[in-house]
Amino acid sequence: MFGFRKKQNFAADVGKRITDQGQLIDMAIASQLDFANEKFGVSNDDAWQDAYTRYYIFGAIDSLTCDFPIEIRQRVAPGIIRIGFERIATMLFDLNEANATKTLEAIFLFQSKNPTYPPIIEGGIDGQSARQGRPATRLLANIYDRFKAGEYSEY
């Protein structure tokens, strides 16, 4: 009658879209890590030690909010990023929630001073690609470059 039901439906639709697209991003990150493990012998722990991986994941999750108006993005993005980042850090990298939160707080601080840091931007680009069903390979390319340079031991 007063648009209340429309507002509820819109919020539910946005929440479902964020969840569905977040799963696509999770799968893109996991598949790149699986490929790196299988082909190069690079473990998830080794990948996590590279700061690029952590900033990339932050950017990929942040891409979920890039379509929002700036006022809404500033309000909701930190919570969405926190949920997504902690989920990936605990599931793929076996971090406990406290360590994931501590890492994320450091990334938020760094990002506020360096908003155009390349790994964050590249994660955001790949996050957008994953959301649209396109390949996301920048994390894998970084791991490969480091593997080729001898920064990871061969298996």
Side-chain angles (χ1 to χ4, degrees):
M1 184 164 147
F2 296 107
F4 182 69
R5 184 162 309 282
K6 282 184 183 179
K7 201 174 212 179
Q8 280 182 324
N9 291 342
F10 176 75
D13 290 344
V14 169
K16 181 175 177 359
R17 188 181 74 197
I18 289 171
T19 300
D20 292 347
Q21 291 179 359
Q23 289 174 346
L24 293 173
I25 291 169
D26 292 355
M27 288 187 294
I29 293 169
S31 66
Q32 291 177 81
L33 291 169
D34 288 346
F35 188 92
N37 186 293
E38 183 179 320
K39 299 296 182 186
F40 315 133
V42 176
S43 71
N44 287 6
D45 290 337
D46 288 339
W48 183 258
Q49 296 308 312
D50 182 3
Y52 180 96
T53 300
R54 298 186 300 270
Y55 290 110
Y56 172 93
I57 291 169
F58 177 91
I61 299 298
D62 186 37
S63 75
L64 288 169
T65 64
C66 69
D67 299 334
F68 294 177
I70 192 71
E71 310 83 38
I72 295 173
R73 186 175 190 195
Q74 289 173 338
R75 201 172 56 228
V76 301
I80 291 170
I81 293 169
R82 181 171 308 281
I83 290 167
F85 187 89
E86 289 176 353
R87 182 182 62 246
I88 289 174
T90 56
M91 285 181 10
L92 296 179
F93 300 99
D94 295 326
L95 262 64
N96 62 39
E97 196 171 316
N99 284 344
T101 300
K102 183 178 172 185
T103 301
L104 181 60
E105 288 170 0
I107 293 172
F108 270 126
L109 182 62
F110 181 85
Q111 189 259 350
S112 70
K113 296 175 184 172
N114 305 281
T116 59
Y117 188 56
I120 295 172
I121 300 299
E122 291 174 8
I125 292 167
D126 268 5
Q128 283 288 83
S129 293
R131 291 173 56 199
Q132 296 168 1
R134 296 189 326 239
T137 58
R138 286 174 173 83
L139 176 60
L140 181 60
N142 179 71
I143 292 171
Y144 175 72
D145 287 344
R146 294 196 58 199
F147 171 76
K148 200 166 88 175
E151 296 181 36
Y152 297 119
S153 60
E154 293 192 40
Y155 59 108

